[in-house]
Amino acid sequence: MKEPVSSSNFIRDIIDEDLASGKHTSVMTRFPPEPNGYLHIGHAKSICLNFGLARDYGGACNLRFDDTNPTKEEVEYVESIKEDVRWLGFDWEDREYFASDYFESLYQFAVHLIKDGKAYVDSLSADEIRAYRGTLTEAGRNSPYRDRSVEENLDLFERMRAGEFPDGAHVLRAKIDMASPNMSLRDPTIYRIRKVAHHRTGDRWCIYPMYDFAHGLSDSIEGVTHSICTLEFENNRALYDWFLDNLPVTSRPRQYEFARLNISYTVLSKRKLLKLVEEKIVDGWDDPRMPTLSGIRRRGYTAEAIRNFCDRIGVAKRDSVVDVALLEYSIREDLNDRAPRFMGVLNPLRVVIENYPDGQQEELEALNHPTDESFGKRSIPFGKVIYIERDDFREDPPKKFFRLAPGREVRLRYAYFITCTDVVKDPATGEIVELRCTYDPETRGGNAPDGRKVKSTLHWVAADHAVDAEVRLYDRLFTAPDPEAAGDGDFRVCLNPQSLQTLSACKLEPALGRIESTTAVQFERMGYFCLDAHDSRPEHLVFNRTATLRDPWAKIDRQLKKGR
RNA sequence: UGGGGCGUCGUCAAGUGGCAAGACACAGGGUUUUGGUCCCUGCAUUCGGAGGUUCGAAUCCUCCCGCCCCAGCCA
């Protein structure tokens, strides 16, 4: 497996300079998720970046939950996030932190600001604060409470903590500049009253710090050197720096911003994903069509493929949309090397081999991997009646269709050459219900002693030994490259009605019935599949299609149909 | 008509004054018991635009154009 070397990017350049100049002697990063939802592939980019930097520079990366808003956060999210990061292959060892671990220190920092006359308790309502803030082009006005004395501020803030005031009665604000062209510097709120239990601190606190206040200070407390976040926080950097510059911190982290991941034909925002779940457009956060790490995992994607994908997309500052084809390429590349091959017929067409002796059965030898001998071999039963893929037969084959047709000879993989002699149809509907063929006993194993060639090789399953299974064919969830823009805000207009196609009468070779793990296998010529972790049972197998194989014929077929 | 960012192939993305990496996609060809894999080949005389500096500019300067972010007691 070729692990692409992480190409250089502006953050690595910065770290190289910092190390060379002696500004830092080691690198400390952190992945700081808010436990208010499931992680998706966009988070994977951040995880790979932060943990990857720590790994490559011999530093460390902390896992820190940014849990400063108890109204939105829950322990179950903490657990799923840990599971996802671990699955992706990263280890934070004993460095599992929570912003809530620092609440007391953060409170003391706030007191320090008040004592320095750099923070004040404001008693304006939320609406009033908004009105006083001004607009993008007009300066804001000072709150009438802005000049309260240090003593009064200290007293009020203490009583806020003590729970003497209801939610919204007061707020602690940094005293910076109401006329700043940077909105985040117009006396930002740093503490608000929230009389709700916190998933970790319970009811110990009723005032909670805001992100801007807590984040940089948490970074400092942890000795983070490079605090990496996404572009929308660029404006907040000035505030990040202000807190660190105005408080007695012992370490001085720097914030750097990179562009978040966008992928064509998919949505990647917690809000949109939540909507898909709530409106039951998908079957939960781990629906295999979801770009969540749990969905992707259930779909059969490997952590290795995701990591390679993240290495390939790079890290930069410009807004961009990565082609979903690159993601698909990444999983195919990985699975091509590691997935053992089997044969499974998704849409069965019964074939009777007329000259094959009645009642005869035999075992044929097959390779578990075409190029890697270490996968070994297996034997597959063969008999007089088999199933082939319906798409592999055309009564009236178009040009370039190499598969089976009346009078045509093809190879059954690892078995024999067969020739189609007759087509049996349902007299009522005209539907093809069975094919009659003859086989050449001399071609056992798939080669003709006389050297004659066939133009195609088909996969097949012996009817007597076939294992029944349900197979779920997944496709992209949206039909538009940019679902957000397509529906003018309503992405439901471009939902792909074919994103899930359930096939219930699939016929698989016996070995597939003995599979136990949910790691992906290849159904030859059809794609990569894995057992569904939730719904598959020994008595009712359910396979998910992870990815199709590259399929030039599908493209030709589409063009032929269009041309007609 | 406030501030902060960003503009290099269809899509990502290197490049940091010396004459446009790589990947995906796409198009050809070869090998092949998966129309898979693999292997070749092609694919930006040009870097948002216009000027300027220089022997030399994607890289420096000027002006212009376009896109993204900010007015939560969210993160």
Side-chain angles (χ1 to χ4, degrees):
Chain A
M1 178 66 48
K2 45 219 163 204
E3 179 97 27
V5 284
S6 305
S7 63
S8 106
N9 60 52
F10 75 99
I11 294 175
R12 283 172 185 268
D13 291 344
I14 289 166
I15 292 176
D16 287 339
E17 285 168 25
D18 290 347
L19 258 21
S21 72
K23 177 176 175 182
H24 294 296
T25 51
S26 62
V27 173
M28 176 68 73
T29 56
R30 103 269 89 116
F31 172 59
E34 180 188 13
N36 71 340
Y38 287 75
L39 257 30
H40 55 66
I41 192 164
H43 293 108
K45 177 179 181 182
S46 174
I47 294 168
C48 290
L49 209 211
N50 280 295
F51 279 93
L53 251 17
R55 179 232 297 137
D56 297 346
Y57 285 94
C61 178
N62 299 340
L63 173 61
R64 181 175 76 234
F65 291 93
D66 225 325
D67 55 351
T68 57
N69 184 356
T71 61
K72 294 185 171 179
E73 298 145 5
E74 294 170 31
V75 265
E76 66 167 286
Y77 291 129
V78 171
E79 292 310 313
S80 79
I81 288 168
K82 282 157 62 174
E83 183 184 357
D84 287 344
V85 176
R86 225 179 274 123
W87 173 75
L88 246 196
F90 296 102
D91 185 3
W92 57 96
E93 300 175 312
D94 60 344
R95 300 180 313 283
E96 178 174 313
Y97 304 129
F98 292 80
S100 54
D101 292 341
Y102 315 134
F103 279 176
E104 185 57 40
S105 305
L106 261 14
Y107 178 84
Q108 293 307 331
F109 276 129
V111 168
H112 188 104
L113 244 23
I114 293 173
K115 286 181 176 166
D116 280 356
K118 291 172 178 169
Y120 62 98
V121 171
D122 197 353
S123 305
L124 250 25
S125 70
D127 285 343
E128 290 168 326
I129 287 180
R130 186 179 317 118
Y132 272 81
R133 186 152 33 225
T135 68
L136 294 180
T137 52
E138 303 162 44
R141 292 137 52 213
N142 286 170
S143 164
Y145 301 100
R146 198 175 200 258
D147 294 316
R148 285 215 253 231
S149 68
V150 168
E151 292 66 33
E152 185 180 7
N153 284 140
L154 244 21
D155 174 62
L156 251 15
F157 189 47
E158 239 167 65
R159 290 162 61 196
M160 279 168 65
R161 175 180 186 171
E164 290 186 27
F165 310 112
D167 286 14
H170 306 286
V171 101
L172 184 71
R173 292 229 254 170
K175 189 187 288 188
I176 306 181
D177 177 10
M178 288 305 291
S180 173
N182 182 340
M183 299 298 289
S184 66
L185 258 23
R186 316 246 265 225
D187 288 11
T189 299
I190 58 182
Y191 263 93
R192 71 300 208 184
I193 300 171
R194 280 271 184 289
K195 294 194 165 175
V196 297
H198 183 278
H199 71 104
R200 297 201 94 227
T201 60
D203 56 8
R204 273 197 301 254
W205 293 87
C206 63
I207 56 172
Y208 294 92
M210 296 287 286
Y211 164 86
D212 287 304
F213 184 68
H215 204 90
L217 293 171
S218 297
D219 284 340
S220 176
I221 289 169
E222 292 177 15
V224 167
T225 53
H226 303 264
S227 181
I228 303 164
C229 62
T230 45
L231 251 30
E232 66 270 27
F233 290 100
E234 258 172 335
N235 297 313
N236 303 233
R237 189 173 65 234
L239 182 52
Y240 181 100
D241 289 337
W242 190 89
F243 288 126
L244 294 171
D245 290 343
N246 286 280
L247 256 3
V249 296
T250 49
S251 103
R252 181 57 228 248
R254 292 287 165 182
Q255 172 181 303
Y256 299 98
E257 312 85 13
F258 71 100
R260 69 185 323 142
L261 174 65
N262 292 296
I263 300 180
S264 61
Y265 297 96
T266 108
V267 296
L268 281 184
S269 81
K270 277 183 185 171
R271 219 192 87 242
K272 302 275 173 31
L273 295 177
L274 178 65
K275 193 172 173 186
L276 289 170
V277 172
E278 285 182 338
E279 298 186 10
K280 309 243 189 249
I281 291 168
V282 295
D283 189 27
W285 287 99
D286 67 344
D287 183 296
R289 290 166 295 182
M290 291 284 273
T292 49
L293 293 182
S294 52
I296 276 172
R297 179 164 64 233
R298 184 172 169 194
R299 171 84 168 252
Y301 272 67
T302 59
E304 173 97 14
I306 299 301
R307 276 186 260 124
N308 285 169
F309 172 73
C310 289
D311 282 338
R312 266 188 272 258
I313 58 178
V315 176
K317 294 198 70 153
R318 89 179 68 125
D319 290 309
S320 59
V321 181
V322 174
D323 192 337
V324 70
L326 185 61
L327 214 210
E328 294 166 348
Y329 169 82
S330 297
I331 186 59
R332 285 194 192 106
E333 175 197 49
D334 186 46
L335 260 22
N336 178 55
D337 288 350
R338 71 204 308 169
R341 316 286 134 123
F342 293 96
M343 292 199 284
V345 176
L346 270 27
N347 290 298
L349 206 211
R350 188 179 148 93
V351 174
V352 176
I353 299 167
E354 302 199 285
N355 60 337
Y356 193 84
D358 285 334
Q360 179 173 312
Q361 277 191 25
E362 60 186 310
E363 293 286 325
L364 270 6
E365 187 175 72
L367 262 24
N368 291 332
H369 191 104
T371 56
D372 187 343
E373 285 184 17
S374 71
F375 279 76
K377 298 172 178 175
R378 70 184 185 288
S379 71
I380 321 172
F382 184 78
K384 187 181 177 78
V385 182
I386 61 168
Y387 293 108
I388 65 167
E389 207 67 57
R390 281 200 103 87
D391 285 349
D392 284 341
F393 176 79
R394 285 286 184 89
E395 192 169 17
D396 184 18
K399 265 246 176 304
K400 294 185 183 168
F401 181 85
F402 304 146
R403 282 111 95 144
L404 196 61
R408 186 181 289 179
E409 183 174 55
V410 299
R411 170 169 41 233
L412 291 180
R413 177 141 238 226
Y414 299 124
Y416 297 95
F417 283 12
I418 60 170
T419 302
C420 178
T421 54
D422 203 6
V423 180
V424 182
K425 297 180 182 175
D426 180 320
T429 65
E431 184 199 8
I432 297 172
V433 294
E434 183 181 293
L435 258 29
R436 312 295 288 195
C437 294
T438 57
Y439 84 119
D440 177 356
E442 298 295 308
T443 58
R444 189 175 202 270
N447 284 305
D450 64 6
R452 73 181 191 280
K453 304 291 185 194
V454 288
K455 294 195 79 173
S456 87
T457 300
L458 271 38
H459 61 280
W460 54 275
V461 167
D464 286 348
H465 301 84
V467 172
D468 292 311
E470 173 182 325
V471 174
R472 298 172 182 172
L473 267 23
Y474 294 104
D475 198 356
R476 38 185 77 152
L477 241 191
F478 299 97
T479 56
D482 181 359
E484 315 256 356
D488 195 30
D490 182 8
F491 58 72
R492 286 171 305 182
V493 304
C494 55
L495 276 171
N496 177 8
Q498 314 257 64
S499 66
L500 167 59
Q501 198 184 338
T502 302
L503 269 25
S504 54
C506 307
K507 299 290 187 182
L508 314 180
E509 66 165 279
L512 246 11
R514 296 188 287 269
I515 296 258
E516 282 177 358
S517 83
T518 53
T519 56
V521 297
Q522 183 189 110
F523 288 5
E524 295 211 40
R525 305 206 307 136
M526 301 308 289
Y528 297 100
F529 298 79
C530 70
L531 239 28
D532 185 77
H534 283 25
D535 303 336
S536 192
R537 301 279 177 279
E539 65 282 5
H540 179 77
L541 299 177
V542 179
F543 279 92
N544 293 326
R545 182 172 69 194
T546 306
T548 60
L549 257 26
R550 269 188 69 231
D551 187 1
W553 165 248
K555 189 176 293 179
I556 295 169
D557 196 31
R558 243 179 279 126
Q559 286 165 354
L560 287 174
K561 279 171 180 157
K562 209 185 293 175
R564 259 180 224 165

